[in-house]
Amino acid sequence: MKRACAVVLALGLVLPTAGVALADSPSPDALPGVTQQRRDSGGKPAGCLPPSTRSTALTPWPQTFLRPERAWPLSRGEGVTVAVVGSGVTDGAGLLAGRLDHAPRLQGAGDPAQDCVGHGTFLAGLIAADHRDGTGFAGLAPRARILAVSVTDEGGGSSPDLLARGITAAADAGARVIAVGVALPSGNDALAASVRSARAKGALVVAPAGPDATAGNGKLPPAYPAAYPEVLSVRDLTPGGTLPEGTLSGRVDLTAPGDAVMGPGPAAGGYYTGAGPSFATAFVAATAALTLGYHPTLTPDQLTRRLEATAYRTGDPAYGYGTVDPVAAVTRLTAPDPTPPPPST
């Protein structure tokens, strides 16, 4: 089993949007990666992600950056099911009440309703969590439906075969968007076939262009399933709108906020922050759900072209077609074929 790695911190202060000075604050408490089971100094399992007691009334910077509320009068993702393919989803905080389904448990994977490591729950919250009084946090598509598909063991490990079965299960269940939360260093024929089949069944597959722990790791090889041409491959942005350290050698189609991202854990309580391409993947998947909520007849190819054509272009090939723009993706009456990004050097 390979592991996808991510960094999660107990929430201290939410970083504001780019261009705003950061207030002085104590460093948040560090927790293990959200796709890794907590382990003691001897390497033995140390239990599940504990509840966070930290919260804030501030609006997280990704929401300020992406401005989903400007699209909400037209769409909040109603009628769209987004599959979160990862460590499962446990809605202890009730932010997905009435809009959460769990796929049948796959052989070799954990219970999709028991997210011990917290990663799948975090991603599901970024996509579709309700707003609650006393906090500025909400999912980008807060009326979308979530289908939790577990493709990891209790420690967060996965494999190409297991991930392939999860993508197939999501497509068979009718998900219009499949947000993959793991990035594997290799694929296989089964995984490639599952992606092609999901696309043929009308599902857009969105996946991280690399593992979540990229800073300081030099040039990283392509990640799977994002390396397959049928998958929308996503890279993460910092609060300053720049790419984090670490070079991804795989294809990048879109970018989205992915650093100092705030989201819920599996237990009721406060929030956590995390960093990496998997969190950016959730924002792109949520944008796809918003778009389908207003343009429900779009095919996966048409949806892909719309997301790419309405992205904010930077001219830098490392950003692919640019940064996803939920408002433009929903409100543009027509979206031309996207201009190809400049060639990578």
Side-chain angles (χ1 to χ4, degrees):
M1 292 269 184
K2 303 294 185 182
R3 291 189 192 283
C5 186
V7 177
V8 166
L9 307 174
L11 180 65
L13 179 72
V14 177
L15 298 180
T17 189
V20 179
L22 302 181
D24 293 333
S25 65
S27 298
D29 297 330
L31 291 176
V34 282
T35 55
Q36 296 180 0
Q37 186 180 34
R38 300 173 65 238
R39 297 183 181 276
D40 61 23
S41 59
K44 296 180 179 180
C48 295
L49 187 72
S52 171
T53 60
R54 301 190 178 194
S55 190
T56 178
L58 298 177
T59 300
W61 80 266
Q63 288 174 233
T64 304
F65 187 86
L66 295 174
R67 304 168 300 166
E69 70 282 353
R70 295 183 61 186
W72 287 346
L74 298 177
S75 172
R76 294 182 179 233
E78 297 92 338
V80 180
T81 294
V82 181
V84 177
V85 179
S87 60
V89 177
T90 304
D91 187 27
L95 297 174
L96 303 168
R99 297 180 292 112
L100 174 61
D101 299 310
H102 295 92
R105 185 170 185 169
L106 302 175
Q107 183 177 2
D111 183 346
Q114 299 296 324
D115 182 16
C116 187
V117 297
H119 189 249
T121 302
F122 195 114
L123 299 185
L126 297 182
I127 295 168
D130 272 331
H131 176 261
R132 289 289 175 83
D133 291 341
T135 178
F137 171 78
L140 255 63
R143 300 315 303 161
R145 194 166 193 89
I146 294 294
L147 173 67
V149 183
S150 178
V151 293
T152 67
D153 59 24
E154 291 183 353
S158 190
S159 70
D161 285 335
L162 186 51
L163 181 53
R165 296 200 300 273
I167 291 173
T168 297
D172 288 347
R176 296 291 307 277
V177 182
I178 300 175
V180 178
V182 298
L184 301 179
S186 62
N188 62 13
D189 290 345
L191 183 55
S194 72
V195 166
R196 291 193 299 268
S197 176
R199 187 98 174 191
K201 292 174 181 176
L204 175 66
V205 182
V206 188
D212 283 340
T214 59
N217 288 343
K219 191 168 185 177
L220 297 172
Y224 290 83
Y228 297 125
E230 299 86 359
V231 176
L232 200 58
S233 178
V234 182
R235 183 75 201 271
D236 50 324
L237 294 176
T238 71
T242 61
L243 298 176
E245 295 180 4
T247 303
L248 301 180
S249 59
R251 186 190 80 256
V252 173
D253 295 319
L254 290 171
T255 59
D259 185 32
V261 175
M262 171 177 157
Y271 294 85
Y272 302 88
T273 60
S278 71
F279 304 101
T281 295
F283 288 125
V284 172
T287 300
L290 285 177
T291 305
L292 287 172
Y294 193 60
H295 305 279
T297 63
L298 291 176
T299 67
D301 287 346
Q302 291 169 335
L303 178 58
T304 297
R305 288 196 297 270
R306 174 174 280 272
L307 294 175
E308 292 172 346
T310 57
Y312 176 77
R313 295 293 300 274
T314 66
D316 186 338
Y319 290 75
Y321 288 93
T323 301
V324 71
D325 186 338
V327 179
V330 171
T331 61
R332 286 279 291 272
L333 295 180
T334 61
D337 286 341
T339 302
S344 180
T345 56

